Short mmCIF file of all heavy atoms in Angstrom, two decimals:
data_model
loop_
_atom_site.label_atom_id
_atom_site.label_comp_id
_atom_site.label_asym_id
_atom_site.label_seq_id
_atom_site.Cartn_x
_atom_site.Cartn_y
_atom_site.Cartn_z
N THR A 50 -6.45 -6.05 2.04
CA THR A 50 -5.11 -5.90 2.61
C THR A 50 -4.31 -4.85 1.83
O THR A 50 -3.64 -4.02 2.43
CB THR A 50 -4.38 -7.25 2.60
OG1 THR A 50 -5.14 -8.19 3.36
CG2 THR A 50 -2.97 -7.13 3.16
N GLY A 51 -4.44 -4.87 0.51
CA GLY A 51 -3.75 -3.87 -0.32
C GLY A 51 -4.26 -2.48 -0.05
O GLY A 51 -3.47 -1.54 0.06
N ALA A 52 -5.56 -2.32 0.09
CA ALA A 52 -6.16 -1.01 0.36
C ALA A 52 -5.69 -0.50 1.72
O ALA A 52 -5.41 0.70 1.89
CB ALA A 52 -7.67 -1.08 0.29
N LYS A 53 -5.60 -1.38 2.71
CA LYS A 53 -5.11 -0.97 4.03
C LYS A 53 -3.66 -0.51 3.96
O LYS A 53 -3.26 0.46 4.60
CB LYS A 53 -5.27 -2.11 5.04
CG LYS A 53 -6.69 -2.33 5.47
CD LYS A 53 -6.77 -3.47 6.47
CE LYS A 53 -8.23 -3.72 6.89
NZ LYS A 53 -8.33 -4.86 7.81
N ALA A 54 -2.86 -1.22 3.17
CA ALA A 54 -1.46 -0.83 3.01
C ALA A 54 -1.35 0.55 2.38
O ALA A 54 -0.53 1.37 2.81
CB ALA A 54 -0.71 -1.87 2.16
N GLU A 55 -2.19 0.82 1.40
CA GLU A 55 -2.17 2.13 0.76
C GLU A 55 -2.65 3.23 1.73
O GLU A 55 -2.16 4.35 1.68
CB GLU A 55 -2.99 2.14 -0.53
CG GLU A 55 -2.51 1.16 -1.58
CD GLU A 55 -1.02 1.20 -1.85
OE1 GLU A 55 -0.42 2.29 -1.84
OE2 GLU A 55 -0.44 0.14 -2.07
N GLY A 56 -3.57 2.89 2.60
CA GLY A 56 -4.01 3.85 3.63
C GLY A 56 -2.86 4.19 4.57
O GLY A 56 -2.64 5.36 4.92
N LEU A 57 -2.11 3.17 4.98
CA LEU A 57 -0.95 3.38 5.84
C LEU A 57 0.10 4.21 5.12
O LEU A 57 0.69 5.13 5.69
CB LEU A 57 -0.36 2.03 6.28
CG LEU A 57 0.88 2.07 7.14
CD1 LEU A 57 0.64 2.82 8.47
CD2 LEU A 57 1.39 0.65 7.41
N ARG A 58 0.29 3.92 3.83
CA ARG A 58 1.28 4.68 3.05
C ARG A 58 0.84 6.14 2.92
O ARG A 58 1.69 7.04 3.00
CB ARG A 58 1.45 4.04 1.66
CG ARG A 58 2.49 4.77 0.82
CD ARG A 58 2.79 4.07 -0.48
NE ARG A 58 3.66 2.90 -0.21
CZ ARG A 58 3.37 1.66 -0.57
NH1 ARG A 58 2.25 1.38 -1.19
NH2 ARG A 58 4.22 0.70 -0.29
N GLN A 59 -0.45 6.39 2.75
CA GLN A 59 -0.93 7.76 2.65
C GLN A 59 -0.63 8.54 3.93
O GLN A 59 -0.22 9.69 3.90
CB GLN A 59 -2.44 7.79 2.34
CG GLN A 59 -2.99 9.14 2.01
CD GLN A 59 -2.48 9.66 0.66
OE1 GLN A 59 -2.04 8.92 -0.20
NE2 GLN A 59 -2.53 10.97 0.51
N ARG A 60 -0.83 7.88 5.08
CA ARG A 60 -0.51 8.53 6.36
C ARG A 60 0.99 8.79 6.48
O ARG A 60 1.40 9.85 6.98
CB ARG A 60 -1.03 7.69 7.52
CG ARG A 60 -2.55 7.71 7.62
CD ARG A 60 -3.08 7.04 8.87
NE ARG A 60 -2.78 5.61 8.99
CZ ARG A 60 -3.49 4.64 8.38
NH1 ARG A 60 -4.51 4.95 7.62
NH2 ARG A 60 -3.15 3.37 8.55
N ALA A 61 1.81 7.87 6.01
CA ALA A 61 3.26 8.06 6.05
C ALA A 61 3.67 9.24 5.17
O ALA A 61 4.49 10.08 5.56
CB ALA A 61 3.99 6.79 5.61
N LEU A 62 3.08 9.33 3.97
CA LEU A 62 3.40 10.42 3.07
C LEU A 62 2.97 11.76 3.66
O LEU A 62 3.70 12.75 3.56
CB LEU A 62 2.73 10.19 1.71
CG LEU A 62 3.28 9.02 0.91
CD1 LEU A 62 2.37 8.69 -0.27
CD2 LEU A 62 4.71 9.28 0.45
N ALA A 63 1.80 11.80 4.28
CA ALA A 63 1.33 13.04 4.90
C ALA A 63 2.27 13.43 6.04
O ALA A 63 2.60 14.62 6.22
CB ALA A 63 -0.09 12.86 5.43
N SER A 64 2.74 12.45 6.80
CA SER A 64 3.67 12.73 7.89
C SER A 64 5.01 13.25 7.33
O SER A 64 5.60 14.17 7.90
CB SER A 64 3.92 11.46 8.71
OG SER A 64 4.85 11.68 9.73
N ASN A 65 5.44 12.67 6.22
CA ASN A 65 6.67 13.15 5.59
C ASN A 65 6.55 14.62 5.22
O ASN A 65 7.45 15.42 5.49
CB ASN A 65 6.98 12.32 4.34
CG ASN A 65 7.38 10.91 4.66
OD1 ASN A 65 7.71 10.57 5.79
ND2 ASN A 65 7.33 10.07 3.65
N LEU A 66 5.43 14.99 4.59
CA LEU A 66 5.24 16.39 4.20
C LEU A 66 5.13 17.29 5.42
O LEU A 66 5.66 18.40 5.42
CB LEU A 66 4.00 16.52 3.31
CG LEU A 66 4.17 16.03 1.88
CD1 LEU A 66 2.85 16.03 1.14
CD2 LEU A 66 5.22 16.85 1.14
N ALA A 67 4.46 16.82 6.44
CA ALA A 67 4.31 17.64 7.67
C ALA A 67 5.66 17.88 8.34
O ALA A 67 5.83 18.89 9.02
CB ALA A 67 3.36 16.96 8.64
N ASN A 68 6.61 16.96 8.14
CA ASN A 68 7.92 17.08 8.77
C ASN A 68 9.01 17.47 7.80
O ASN A 68 10.20 17.27 8.07
CB ASN A 68 8.27 15.74 9.44
CG ASN A 68 7.49 15.49 10.67
OD1 ASN A 68 7.72 16.13 11.70
ND2 ASN A 68 6.53 14.58 10.59
N MET A 69 8.62 18.10 6.72
CA MET A 69 9.56 18.46 5.66
C MET A 69 10.70 19.35 6.14
O MET A 69 11.82 19.26 5.63
CB MET A 69 8.79 19.14 4.52
CG MET A 69 9.49 19.10 3.22
SD MET A 69 8.38 19.51 1.88
CE MET A 69 8.49 21.28 1.93
N GLU A 70 10.44 20.16 7.14
CA GLU A 70 11.48 21.06 7.66
C GLU A 70 11.98 20.65 9.04
O GLU A 70 12.76 21.40 9.64
CB GLU A 70 10.93 22.49 7.69
CG GLU A 70 10.55 23.05 6.33
CD GLU A 70 11.71 23.10 5.35
OE1 GLU A 70 12.86 23.37 5.80
OE2 GLU A 70 11.51 22.86 4.16
N THR A 71 11.56 19.50 9.53
CA THR A 71 11.99 19.05 10.85
C THR A 71 13.44 18.54 10.78
O THR A 71 13.71 17.59 10.03
CB THR A 71 11.07 17.93 11.37
OG1 THR A 71 9.73 18.43 11.40
CG2 THR A 71 11.49 17.46 12.75
N PRO A 72 14.36 19.14 11.51
CA PRO A 72 15.75 18.70 11.48
C PRO A 72 15.88 17.23 11.88
O PRO A 72 15.27 16.78 12.85
CB PRO A 72 16.44 19.59 12.50
CG PRO A 72 15.57 20.81 12.58
CD PRO A 72 14.17 20.31 12.38
N GLY A 73 16.63 16.48 11.09
CA GLY A 73 16.91 15.09 11.40
C GLY A 73 15.81 14.10 11.01
O GLY A 73 16.00 12.89 11.13
N TYR A 74 14.68 14.60 10.53
CA TYR A 74 13.58 13.70 10.15
C TYR A 74 13.94 12.95 8.89
O TYR A 74 14.43 13.54 7.94
CB TYR A 74 12.27 14.47 9.95
CG TYR A 74 11.10 13.59 9.58
CD1 TYR A 74 10.37 12.95 10.55
CD2 TYR A 74 10.77 13.38 8.25
CE1 TYR A 74 9.29 12.13 10.22
CE2 TYR A 74 9.70 12.58 7.90
CZ TYR A 74 8.98 11.94 8.88
OH TYR A 74 7.91 11.13 8.53
N ARG A 75 13.71 11.65 8.87
CA ARG A 75 13.94 10.83 7.68
C ARG A 75 12.59 10.36 7.16
O ARG A 75 11.74 9.92 7.92
CB ARG A 75 14.82 9.62 8.01
CG ARG A 75 16.21 9.98 8.57
CD ARG A 75 17.06 10.81 7.61
NE ARG A 75 17.33 10.20 6.35
CZ ARG A 75 18.47 9.59 6.03
NH1 ARG A 75 19.44 9.52 6.89
NH2 ARG A 75 18.62 9.06 4.84
N ARG A 76 12.42 10.44 5.84
CA ARG A 76 11.14 10.07 5.25
C ARG A 76 10.82 8.60 5.49
O ARG A 76 11.73 7.78 5.62
CB ARG A 76 11.10 10.42 3.76
CG ARG A 76 11.89 9.51 2.86
CD ARG A 76 11.73 9.86 1.38
NE ARG A 76 10.35 9.77 0.96
CZ ARG A 76 9.78 8.65 0.54
NH1 ARG A 76 10.45 7.52 0.50
NH2 ARG A 76 8.51 8.65 0.15
N GLN A 77 9.55 8.33 5.58
CA GLN A 77 9.08 6.96 5.78
C GLN A 77 8.27 6.50 4.59
O GLN A 77 7.67 7.30 3.86
CB GLN A 77 8.21 6.87 7.05
CG GLN A 77 8.95 7.17 8.31
CD GLN A 77 8.10 7.00 9.54
OE1 GLN A 77 6.88 7.05 9.48
NE2 GLN A 77 8.73 6.77 10.66
N ASP A 78 8.26 5.19 4.40
CA ASP A 78 7.44 4.57 3.37
C ASP A 78 6.91 3.26 3.96
O ASP A 78 7.23 2.91 5.09
CB ASP A 78 8.27 4.30 2.10
CG ASP A 78 7.41 4.11 0.86
OD1 ASP A 78 6.15 4.07 0.99
OD2 ASP A 78 7.96 3.96 -0.23
N VAL A 79 6.14 2.57 3.15
CA VAL A 79 5.52 1.32 3.62
C VAL A 79 6.07 0.16 2.80
O VAL A 79 6.10 0.22 1.56
CB VAL A 79 3.99 1.38 3.52
CG1 VAL A 79 3.34 0.05 3.81
CG2 VAL A 79 3.44 2.45 4.46
N ARG A 80 6.47 -0.88 3.46
CA ARG A 80 6.90 -2.11 2.81
C ARG A 80 5.69 -3.05 2.74
O ARG A 80 5.22 -3.53 3.74
CB ARG A 80 8.04 -2.78 3.59
CG ARG A 80 8.61 -3.98 2.91
CD ARG A 80 9.84 -4.51 3.64
NE ARG A 80 10.96 -3.62 3.41
CZ ARG A 80 11.63 -2.98 4.37
NH1 ARG A 80 11.28 -3.13 5.62
NH2 ARG A 80 12.65 -2.18 4.10
N PHE A 81 5.16 -3.22 1.54
CA PHE A 81 4.02 -4.12 1.34
C PHE A 81 4.22 -4.96 0.08
O PHE A 81 4.09 -6.17 0.13
CB PHE A 81 2.72 -3.31 1.23
CG PHE A 81 1.55 -4.16 0.81
CD1 PHE A 81 1.01 -5.10 1.69
CD2 PHE A 81 0.98 -4.03 -0.46
CE1 PHE A 81 -0.05 -5.89 1.29
CE2 PHE A 81 -0.08 -4.81 -0.85
CZ PHE A 81 -0.60 -5.75 0.03
N GLU A 82 4.53 -4.31 -1.01
CA GLU A 82 4.62 -5.02 -2.29
C GLU A 82 5.67 -6.14 -2.24
O GLU A 82 5.44 -7.22 -2.75
CB GLU A 82 4.93 -4.05 -3.43
CG GLU A 82 3.79 -3.14 -3.79
CD GLU A 82 3.64 -1.94 -2.85
OE1 GLU A 82 4.50 -1.74 -1.95
OE2 GLU A 82 2.64 -1.20 -3.00
N GLU A 83 6.80 -5.85 -1.58
CA GLU A 83 7.86 -6.89 -1.48
C GLU A 83 7.39 -8.07 -0.66
O GLU A 83 7.66 -9.22 -0.98
CB GLU A 83 9.13 -6.31 -0.84
CG GLU A 83 9.66 -5.07 -1.51
CD GLU A 83 9.08 -3.80 -0.90
OE1 GLU A 83 8.83 -3.73 0.31
OE2 GLU A 83 8.88 -2.85 -1.66
N LEU A 84 6.67 -7.78 0.44
CA LEU A 84 6.14 -8.84 1.30
C LEU A 84 5.12 -9.69 0.55
O LEU A 84 5.09 -10.91 0.67
CB LEU A 84 5.54 -8.26 2.57
CG LEU A 84 6.46 -7.45 3.47
CD1 LEU A 84 5.68 -6.78 4.59
CD2 LEU A 84 7.58 -8.33 4.02
N LEU A 85 4.25 -9.03 -0.22
CA LEU A 85 3.24 -9.72 -0.99
C LEU A 85 3.89 -10.61 -2.06
O LEU A 85 3.53 -11.76 -2.22
CB LEU A 85 2.28 -8.72 -1.64
CG LEU A 85 1.21 -9.29 -2.55
CD1 LEU A 85 0.28 -10.24 -1.77
CD2 LEU A 85 0.40 -8.19 -3.20
N ALA A 86 4.86 -10.05 -2.77
CA ALA A 86 5.55 -10.83 -3.82
C ALA A 86 6.24 -12.04 -3.22
O ALA A 86 6.17 -13.13 -3.79
CB ALA A 86 6.57 -9.93 -4.54
N LYS A 87 6.88 -11.87 -2.09
CA LYS A 87 7.56 -13.00 -1.43
C LYS A 87 6.56 -14.09 -1.05
O LYS A 87 6.81 -15.27 -1.26
CB LYS A 87 8.31 -12.50 -0.19
CG LYS A 87 9.08 -13.57 0.53
CD LYS A 87 9.79 -12.99 1.73
CE LYS A 87 10.49 -14.06 2.52
NZ LYS A 87 11.14 -13.54 3.74
N GLU A 88 5.42 -13.68 -0.53
CA GLU A 88 4.39 -14.63 -0.12
C GLU A 88 3.78 -15.32 -1.34
O GLU A 88 3.51 -16.53 -1.31
CB GLU A 88 3.31 -13.93 0.70
CG GLU A 88 2.30 -14.83 1.33
CD GLU A 88 2.85 -15.70 2.46
OE1 GLU A 88 3.91 -15.40 3.03
OE2 GLU A 88 2.22 -16.74 2.74
N LEU A 89 3.58 -14.59 -2.43
CA LEU A 89 3.02 -15.19 -3.65
C LEU A 89 3.96 -16.20 -4.28
O LEU A 89 3.52 -17.15 -4.91
CB LEU A 89 2.67 -14.09 -4.66
CG LEU A 89 1.42 -13.28 -4.36
CD1 LEU A 89 1.31 -12.08 -5.31
CD2 LEU A 89 0.17 -14.13 -4.41
N GLU A 90 5.26 -15.98 -4.12
CA GLU A 90 6.25 -16.89 -4.70
C GLU A 90 6.46 -18.14 -3.84
O GLU A 90 7.06 -19.10 -4.30
CB GLU A 90 7.58 -16.16 -4.90
CG GLU A 90 7.51 -15.12 -5.99
CD GLU A 90 8.74 -14.25 -6.05
OE1 GLU A 90 9.67 -14.45 -5.25
OE2 GLU A 90 8.78 -13.38 -6.92
N SER A 91 5.97 -18.12 -2.62
CA SER A 91 6.16 -19.28 -1.76
C SER A 91 5.32 -20.45 -2.27
O SER A 91 4.37 -20.28 -3.03
CB SER A 91 5.75 -18.93 -0.31
OG SER A 91 4.35 -18.76 -0.21
N SER A 92 5.66 -21.63 -1.87
CA SER A 92 5.00 -22.83 -2.39
C SER A 92 3.67 -23.13 -1.71
O SER A 92 2.87 -23.89 -2.22
CB SER A 92 5.93 -24.03 -2.28
OG SER A 92 6.26 -24.22 -0.91
N GLY A 93 3.44 -22.56 -0.57
CA GLY A 93 2.21 -22.85 0.18
C GLY A 93 1.08 -21.92 -0.14
O GLY A 93 1.10 -21.17 -1.12
N GLN A 94 0.06 -21.97 0.68
CA GLN A 94 -1.10 -21.08 0.54
C GLN A 94 -0.69 -19.64 0.88
O GLN A 94 0.18 -19.40 1.68
CB GLN A 94 -2.21 -21.50 1.50
CG GLN A 94 -2.93 -22.73 1.08
CD GLN A 94 -4.00 -22.46 0.03
OE1 GLN A 94 -4.03 -21.41 -0.59
NE2 GLN A 94 -4.88 -23.41 -0.15
N LEU A 95 -1.38 -18.71 0.26
CA LEU A 95 -1.17 -17.30 0.57
C LEU A 95 -1.80 -17.02 1.92
O LEU A 95 -3.01 -17.18 2.08
CB LEU A 95 -1.78 -16.41 -0.50
CG LEU A 95 -1.67 -14.91 -0.29
CD1 LEU A 95 -0.21 -14.49 -0.31
CD2 LEU A 95 -2.42 -14.18 -1.37
N ASP A 96 -1.01 -16.64 2.87
CA ASP A 96 -1.48 -16.34 4.21
C ASP A 96 -1.38 -14.83 4.42
O ASP A 96 -0.30 -14.32 4.66
CB ASP A 96 -0.67 -17.09 5.26
CG ASP A 96 -1.20 -16.92 6.67
OD1 ASP A 96 -2.21 -16.20 6.84
OD2 ASP A 96 -0.62 -17.51 7.59
N LEU A 97 -2.52 -14.16 4.34
CA LEU A 97 -2.51 -12.71 4.47
C LEU A 97 -2.13 -12.24 5.86
O LEU A 97 -1.71 -11.09 6.03
CB LEU A 97 -3.88 -12.13 4.08
CG LEU A 97 -4.26 -12.31 2.62
CD1 LEU A 97 -5.66 -11.79 2.35
CD2 LEU A 97 -3.26 -11.63 1.71
N ASP A 98 -2.21 -13.12 6.85
CA ASP A 98 -1.74 -12.77 8.20
C ASP A 98 -0.22 -12.62 8.23
O ASP A 98 0.31 -11.96 9.11
CB ASP A 98 -2.18 -13.82 9.21
CG ASP A 98 -3.69 -13.84 9.41
OD1 ASP A 98 -4.34 -12.78 9.23
OD2 ASP A 98 -4.23 -14.92 9.73
#
Side-chain angles (χ1 to χ4, degrees):
T50 301
K53 286 180 182 178
E55 299 313 322
L57 178 60
R58 182 173 283 125
Q59 189 68 21
R60 289 188 297 279
L62 292 168
S64 178
N65 291 345
L66 285 173
N68 286 288
M69 202 165 85
E70 298 300 325
T71 303
Y74 181 85
R75 301 300 299 260
R76 75 176 300 274
Q77 295 183 337
D78 199 355
V79 172
R80 185 173 287 120
F81 171 70
E82 289 80 6
E83 306 90 35
L84 300 173
L85 177 61
K87 182 179 176 183
E88 189 68 20
L89 285 171
E90 291 171 0
S91 70
S92 59
Q94 286 278 17
L95 179 63
D96 185 359
L97 294 177
D98 293 331

